[in-house]
Amino acid sequence: MPTAERERIYERADNKGWKKWGPYLSERAWGTVREDYSPYGDAWNFVSHDMARSRAYRWGEEGIGGISDNKGHICFALAFWNHKDNILKERLFGLAGPEGNHGEDVKELYYYLDSTPTHSYMKMLYKYPQQEFPYNRLVIESSRRNRQEPEFELTDTGIFDKDEYFDIFIEYTKADQNDWLVTVTAHNRSATEAPLTLLPTIWFRNTWSWGYEQYNSRPMLNGIANNQIEVNHKQLGKYKLYCEDADALLFCDNDTNSERLYGRPNVSKYTKDGINNYIVSGGKKSFINPNQIGTKASAQYTRMVPAGGSVSVRLRFSDQTTMTGPFEDFDEIWQNRLSEADAFYADLQKNVQDTELLAIQRQAYAGMLWSKQFYYYNVNEWLKGDPKMPVPFQGRVYARNETWRHMYTANILSMPDKWEYPWFAAWDLAFHTLTLARLDPHFAKRQLAVILREYYMHPNGQIPAYEWNFSDVNPPVHAWATWKVYEIDKEQNGVGDVNFLERVFHKLLLNFTWWVNRKDVSGNNIFGGGFLGLDNIGVFDRSQPLPMGGRIEQADGTGWMAMYTLNMLRIACEISLTRPSYQDMASKFFEHFLHIASAMNNLGKQNISLWDEVDQFYYDVLHMPDHNARLLKIRSMVGLIPLFAVEILDESLLSQLPDFKRRVEWVLTNRPDLASLVSRWHEPGKGETHLLSLLRGHRMKMILKRMFDETEFLSDYGIRALSKYHEKTPYQFELNSEIFQVRYVAAESEMSMFGGNSNWRGPIWFPVNFLLIDSLLKFYQYYGDDFEIEYPTHSGHIMSVKEATLLVIERLLNIFRRDQSGRIAAFGADKKMQDDPHFKDLYLFYEYFNGDNGMGLGASHQTGWTGLVADLIEYLYKYQTQPQELAVGTEK
């Protein structure tokens, strides 16, 4: 029987109803492209962290543990004051891109602990130091460090060493669709009592300052005594915030303090930073509105928190504005929703037996659900400016995203990380949808569909990359994600959503055509694409003209496109089962795949191959201006990506598609040159299946031999993106007496190429590891147990592809699991995180991981694609028929 939460999920497919309200606030709006109105695109400095408390935003809002409606009109979040800082803790602090020695970096400790898909229950934790927050020290020390040094983190300052901090738990439940219960509990972890001011804050996104007729009415907050705030909004109607036992209600306006920032007169006497100024000044009343009205308001709770003890406050935000006892049923509702959340996850995680993996998976799911954000960006309005500009704007000398004027986004989207990447990233989003599909298939399908809509996708068919440069090129993974989401949805519901497949398929056709027309420069079925992410830049920045001229034919770009054709082929076959005319499209993509496979072996019929017979590996090919060509022999993810191009078609499917089957057989009969490139098509595999792949058995074994070699790609924690071979033997390329080289580096970038923070040389990434695992399991589906490999290479252990793949999953999970000494690899050498009872069971889902020791690196809340750990746990139990035989440590 469906759980109560599962029933709520399926009430409607859009972001309304029970999903109208959620954790849709960003954690950083300052330093973003959307808020940048500078002439030259200096986003990080136009609105800085120091300016953020005083400037009303144009496109979004930010807060700690915040919620909003699905269009971001009414916002609620938490602010804190430890009675030491000179500003309120209203927003998470971090370094701007130019400040960090490895780029932008949040310098706070916070954790997403739980959430249901409809956000009927949510929980997060913020760790707030009791001593003055070390803002300046973090900036100064980070600026002193170079790229070869690690990042300077908040725990490195020693501010947590004496346990002088508060653990502040923020919890939400819903009584109904528009009725929130809020509990904030602050635990004093120190040995002495400490003061704390809690400031639950409600405000309106500023829509009234920009000169648009539809927003000419100003919404209003109105205080009643010390415990109620009336909320009146023209679009959303009336709500009320009930504040149990508040000390006071404080009001100001969400308007820019132009006097402080720009030396201009203020339009409001009580500006956005009014509550901040009132609190930190010791109660100077000139900063807040004595009439208790405004567009921003806080309930003030100042408490002395006993040593080792806690304080708790309760609030209720509801469209039921005439409640006489808003807290009478509070505890009952709370317990019901928590029980429903537990029941939902008990069902979702029913296959997982290990308690540690259950905890890791549930926190990964929580991070995915907390990372939703209302993303708003009308590029045309942003480029030209608004009718009324309350901030300095002299036009744009550098018009970022000029060719994307059609783009108008105003949707709830899954973010990679709501602080470090508080904007959608198209290929990240594709990976997010797999994990989201297990939680809420409707939301996952909507994410894939919306990114392909006409107000996102360029008229030429390009999918927008991310707001810093929509024209950048990401790997084409959306067809793969579409098929995976379809499979997960079908597995959960017993029937596949063919209408969804068909809708997305048509949009993907436009994008596929864009790739063919724009990225196959020579028309020879070999693709470029430039920077395609994750350690595959190579010796040159492939997104820029080469210093010696010429061009690069990319093994990864071509591998991605071969994968794309097979994904489209499989989708077309599925649609054809109910719409037979799609068999023509299946035939098209079958033949396109064959031509790409042919081209990889014989570029432009010049007897040049991306496969090197000496090294038994795929490489990029550099075409020089003098028409000579050479392989760029860098053993990187570039050479592994061709593994992704694999698809299985079984005989039962083909028998239902007679037109497609007839065309396939005609091509294989009449084009033996192409037929010879298809791995064993005429030899039925296990269960009468046929394999489409770029790799024959021999080439596959040769690639796996390198990939499973612990001196090359195989780490104790997954598959590295660059072979460790290049640590002692860097790849070198000489040009005009200058040496360009690629060297294995296990952690952060040491180079400034392509923005500096995008040129890693060896870490472990979950998305490409997941694609490798998914592909290997497809190979196993065809080959079965008879196809054996050595794992690890040189170990003498012979096993099936499935057994080796499951052991790779185990290694990836070992990033988060405790080893025999009780350490978690992701925490590195941080003793506080490893051993402290208030830290050690809290997981952070980092952007990538050290290729040698598994330490977490980069964005610390990149649950987006590192949330794939939840799917890997599912894979482990789905394919592991005898778990005891594959326990950790038995592989050696």
Side-chain angles (χ1 to χ4, degrees):
M1 295 294 293
T3 63
E5 175 63 16
R6 184 65 68 183
E7 289 181 345
R8 285 192 286 265
I9 291 168
Y10 282 94
E11 280 185 10
R12 54 191 305 161
D14 57 14
N15 291 313
K16 296 180 181 179
W18 276 86
K19 289 179 273 190
K20 179 179 178 179
W21 294 84
Y24 305 147
L25 280 186
S26 173
E27 280 153 1
R28 177 173 63 82
W30 65 269
T32 60
V33 166
R34 281 160 292 151
E35 297 299 331
D36 174 22
Y37 285 85
S38 66
Y40 295 95
D42 187 10
W44 285 111
N45 290 312
F46 187 76
V47 183
S48 65
H49 177 270
D50 179 65
M51 299 169 68
R53 68 180 180 274
S54 303
R55 186 184 184 281
Y57 294 121
R58 169 66 176 89
W59 298 100
E61 287 292 344
E62 66 194 3
I64 299 174
I67 61 173
S68 79
D69 64 276
N70 60 0
K71 295 301 177 184
H73 288 298
I74 301 176
C75 308
F76 175 91
L78 281 300
F80 315 108
W81 188 48
N82 59 10
H83 295 241
K84 299 285 181 63
D85 291 344
N86 60 4
I87 60 172
L88 294 185
K89 181 62 69 174
E90 292 183 274
R91 58 191 46 80
L92 299 171
F93 173 72
L95 303 179
E99 291 178 320
N101 59 324
H102 294 287
E104 65 266 33
D105 188 20
V106 68
K107 298 299 183 186
E108 303 269 15
L109 283 178
Y110 57 104
Y111 304 86
Y112 305 123
L113 300 179
D114 212 351
S115 180
T116 59
T118 67
H119 312 294
S120 57
Y121 176 73
M122 299 196 303
K123 183 178 183 180
M124 74 163 286
L125 167 64
Y126 174 66
K127 289 182 177 287
Y128 186 32
Q130 293 170 4
Q131 299 303 317
E132 184 177 356
F133 196 90
Y135 293 105
N136 290 334
R137 187 180 175 196
L138 287 164
V139 173
I140 293 169
E141 176 61 23
S142 296
S143 65
R144 186 191 66 78
R145 297 191 177 195
N146 59 33
R147 291 189 183 279
Q148 286 70 44
E149 295 177 281
E151 294 171 349
F152 185 63
E153 304 295 358
L154 182 60
T155 51
D156 296 329
T157 67
I159 202 162
F160 293 104
D161 289 354
K162 297 180 181 179
D163 293 331
E164 295 176 339
Y165 70 93
F166 299 106
D167 268 341
I168 304 177
F169 291 91
I170 305 165
E171 293 181 85
Y172 297 93
T173 60
K174 288 182 184 178
D176 206 338
Q177 296 180 7
N178 303 309
D179 191 351
W180 285 88
L181 313 183
V182 186
T183 299
V184 185
T185 305
H187 295 265
N188 181 0
R189 300 304 186 193
S190 75
T192 58
E193 64 176 9
L196 175 66
T197 295
L198 300 170
L199 294 155
T201 303
I202 188 167
W203 72 100
F204 301 112
R205 176 166 57 87
N206 188 319
T207 56
W208 54 87
S209 297
W210 312 97
Y212 292 98
E213 182 66 25
Q214 66 267 38
Y215 295 117
N216 60 3
S217 65
R218 191 182 182 98
M220 180 65 69
L221 300 171
N222 182 37
I224 302 174
N226 281 339
N227 56 22
Q228 295 183 25
I229 299 174
E230 287 185 339
V231 181
N232 292 281
H233 193 279
K234 182 177 179 181
Q235 281 76 29
L236 273 70
K238 294 185 178 181
Y239 289 79
K240 189 174 281 186
L241 180 65
Y242 301 93
C243 313
E244 186 180 48
D245 299 328
D247 301 339
L249 301 179
L250 313 175
F251 290 78
C252 64
D253 285 309
N254 187 21
D255 286 302
T256 297
N257 187 340
S258 298
E259 184 177 312
R260 175 183 179 246
L261 298 182
Y262 310 117
R264 296 179 173 184
N266 288 325
V267 297
S268 171
K269 182 179 179 181
Y270 308 105
T271 54
K272 178 181 176 180
D273 50 12
I275 295 171
N276 173 88
N277 297 341
Y278 170 80
I279 294 292
V280 299
S281 69
K284 191 174 181 181
K285 294 186 178 180
S286 60
F287 292 116
I288 58 173
N289 193 323
N291 296 317
Q292 290 198 322
I293 59 173
T295 51
K296 177 181 178 182
S298 294
Q300 180 183 356
Y301 296 86
T302 297
R303 302 288 186 267
M304 186 63 70
V305 189
S310 66
V311 297
S312 184
V313 303
R314 302 193 303 179
L315 304 99
R316 186 165 187 168
F317 174 71
S318 177
D319 61 354
Q320 305 300 311
T321 59
T322 59
M323 289 186 186
T324 57
F327 299 98
E328 289 178 358
D329 56 354
F330 196 99
D331 293 339
E332 180 184 355
I333 294 169
W334 198 276
Q335 188 56 51
N336 286 342
R337 294 294 178 263
L338 181 56
S339 297
E340 290 166 359
D342 289 339
F344 171 79
Y345 279 108
D347 178 61
L348 186 67
Q349 299 179 288
K350 59 182 176 292
N351 296 326
V352 182
Q353 305 301 315
D354 185 282
T355 56
E356 188 176 21
L357 292 182
L358 282 168
I360 294 166
Q361 190 180 51
R362 187 155 173 177
Q363 284 192 37
Y365 284 141
M368 288 296 310
L369 294 168
W370 270 92
S371 294
K372 297 178 183 179
Q373 180 183 318
F374 171 63
Y375 186 83
Y376 181 36
Y377 190 12
N378 182 328
V379 176
N380 187 52
E381 286 184 359
W382 177 81
L383 283 168
K384 68 183 183 182
D386 296 301
K388 182 180 177 183
M389 295 295 295
V391 296
F393 182 57
Q394 292 83 39
R396 302 183 188 279
V397 176
Y398 169 57
R400 192 189 302 274
N401 296 322
E402 167 69 31
T403 61
W404 292 81
R405 286 182 177 268
H406 71 283
M407 193 162 174
Y408 187 153
T409 71
N411 301 97
I412 302 300
L413 296 176
S414 177
M415 296 292 115
D417 178 311
K418 289 203 294 186
W419 195 96
E420 299 206 21
Y421 305 112
W423 24 262
F424 80 92
W427 89 300
D428 300 54
L429 186 62
F431 292 105
H432 302 184
T433 60
L434 271 68
T435 309
L436 288 167
R438 299 187 185 279
L439 296 158
D440 182 354
H442 285 319
F443 184 74
K445 289 185 285 187
R446 190 175 177 84
Q447 294 293 285
L448 288 166
V450 75
I451 204 78
L452 300 172
R453 292 294 298 273
E454 58 277 4
Y455 46 85
Y456 279 73
M457 181 185 279
H458 198 280
N460 65 19
Q462 184 176 10
I463 297 173
Y466 33 75
E467 69 179 33
W468 289 92
N469 183 6
F470 286 134
S471 294
D472 207 348
V473 182
N474 288 161
V477 292
H478 294 80
W480 171 80
T482 297
W483 178 250
K484 297 297 293 183
V485 167
Y486 173 83
E487 285 190 308
I488 293 168
D489 185 29
K490 185 176 181 179
E491 179 182 330
Q492 288 189 350
N493 297 297
V495 59
D497 187 351
V498 178
N499 290 332
F500 158 72
L501 272 189
E502 186 176 27
R503 179 185 181 192
V504 173
F505 183 81
H506 283 284
K507 295 294 186 179
L508 289 170
L509 279 175
L510 299 175
N511 179 247
F512 186 88
T513 303
W514 176 85
W515 272 92
V516 170
N517 290 338
R518 297 295 183 93
K519 296 303 174 183
D520 179 7
V521 176
S522 302
N524 61 5
N525 289 298
I526 296 294
F527 292 83
F531 171 64
L532 290 175
L534 313 188
D535 294 278
N536 56 3
I537 292 177
V539 69
F540 305 113
D541 183 345
R542 301 185 305 181
S543 292
Q544 300 297 326
L546 299 178
M548 79 295 287
R551 70 181 190 281
I552 292 177
E553 308 278 22
Q554 296 179 207
D556 59 335
T558 307
W560 285 118
M561 283 302 290
M563 170 185 163
Y564 200 170
T565 60
L566 292 180
N567 299 149
M568 293 293 277
L569 164 63
R570 187 63 188 87
I571 292 172
C573 287
E574 189 74 6
I575 301 173
S576 296
L577 294 174
T578 51
R579 283 89 153 163
S581 61
Y582 279 80
Q583 291 178 80
D584 290 342
M585 298 308 300
S587 299
K588 166 195 162 49
F589 285 107
F590 174 74
E591 294 186 39
H592 207 130
F593 169 75
L594 294 181
H595 288 295
I596 292 175
S598 174
M600 288 188 74
N601 286 305
N602 188 359
L603 299 184
K605 303 191 183 303
Q606 301 174 51
N607 294 317
I608 301 170
S609 175
L610 297 178
W611 176 262
D612 181 50
E613 288 293 347
V614 176
D615 288 357
Q616 298 285 291
F617 203 68
Y618 281 108
Y619 297 118
D620 286 347
V621 171
L622 172 63
H623 289 270
M624 303 290 284
D626 60 5
H627 303 296
N628 287 323
R630 61 184 287 188
L631 292 170
L632 297 173
K633 293 193 174 186
I634 305 169
R635 299 178 192 172
S636 76
M637 189 59 66
V638 165
L640 302 182
I641 285 172
L643 280 168
F644 300 166
V646 55
E647 189 53 70
I648 308 296
L649 299 178
D650 61 57
E651 196 63 34
S652 63
L653 174 66
L654 292 173
S655 65
Q656 299 177 70
L657 306 174
D659 294 342
F660 172 58
K661 183 177 182 180
R662 185 164 50 252
R663 180 62 184 171
V664 166
E665 291 173 347
W666 187 94
V667 171
L668 296 178
T669 300
N670 292 278
R671 290 294 305 272
D673 57 321
L674 297 180
S676 65
L677 297 168
V678 182
S679 300
R680 298 173 56 176
W681 175 267
H682 290 295
E683 298 177 41
K686 187 181 69 173
E688 294 296 303
T689 59
H690 299 286
L691 177 70
L692 286 172
S693 168
L694 290 176
L695 303 167
R696 293 186 181 88
H698 170 72
R699 286 191 178 181
M700 179 186 168
K701 284 192 173 184
M702 291 301 99
I703 286 184
L704 294 186
K705 184 176 181 180
R706 286 207 188 280
M707 191 170 83
F708 291 151
D709 189 334
E710 293 178 309
T711 67
E712 293 215 31
F713 287 99
L714 184 62
S715 161
D716 287 341
Y717 303 97
I719 305 299
R720 302 178 175 102
L722 185 73
S723 171
K724 197 172 172 65
Y725 166 81
H726 291 302
E727 183 175 40
K728 295 180 179 178
T729 312
Y731 175 80
Q732 295 186 334
F733 185 97
E734 184 174 356
L735 178 66
N736 299 327
S737 300
E738 184 178 357
I739 300 295
F740 297 84
Q741 76 169 19
V742 170
R743 183 175 69 85
Y744 171 81
V745 179
E748 293 97 338
S749 166
E750 293 182 350
M751 301 178 66
S752 60
M753 188 190 297
F754 202 85
N757 205 29
S758 302
N759 195 44
W760 307 269
R761 298 299 196 189
I764 293 158
W765 299 84
F766 266 73
V768 285
N769 269 263
F770 188 88
L771 280 164
L772 287 169
I773 287 164
D774 193 56
S775 299
L776 290 176
L777 290 172
K778 281 187 178 180
F779 279 112
Y780 173 77
Q781 181 184 344
Y782 176 76
Y783 285 114
D785 292 325
D786 294 337
F787 187 91
E788 294 184 320
I789 58 172
E790 184 183 29
Y791 176 93
T793 304
H794 311 304
S795 69
H797 293 128
I798 307 302
M799 61 186 68
S800 71
V801 171
K802 183 183 84 169
E803 290 173 311
T805 303
L806 292 176
L807 289 171
V808 173
I809 292 176
E810 295 276 13
R811 291 188 181 219
L812 287 160
L813 297 183
N814 286 344
I815 290 172
F816 298 100
R817 289 194 292 204
R818 295 196 177 277
D819 61 19
Q820 292 179 346
S821 64
R823 294 184 68 261
I824 292 177
F827 294 164
D830 192 313
K831 288 185 63 63
K832 195 76 172 175
M833 290 189 173
Q834 293 285 5
D835 303 326
D836 190 288
H838 300 303
F839 282 78
K840 66 186 184 70
D841 295 322
L842 303 170
Y843 300 101
L844 292 172
F845 298 89
Y846 292 90
E847 187 177 3
Y848 52 100
F849 300 87
N850 186 296
D852 291 342
N853 61 33
M855 179 180 173
L857 302 166
S860 54
H861 294 76
Q862 185 99 353
T863 322
W865 59 26
T866 301
L868 288 166
V869 65
D871 295 78
L872 291 179
I873 292 169
E874 285 297 319
Y875 270 33
L876 187 67
Y877 282 91
K878 178 179 180 179
Y879 291 97
Q880 195 179 58
T881 55
Q882 295 177 311
Q884 68 276 11
E885 294 181 6
L886 295 173
V888 182
T890 61
E891 60 187 83
K892 293 192 178 181

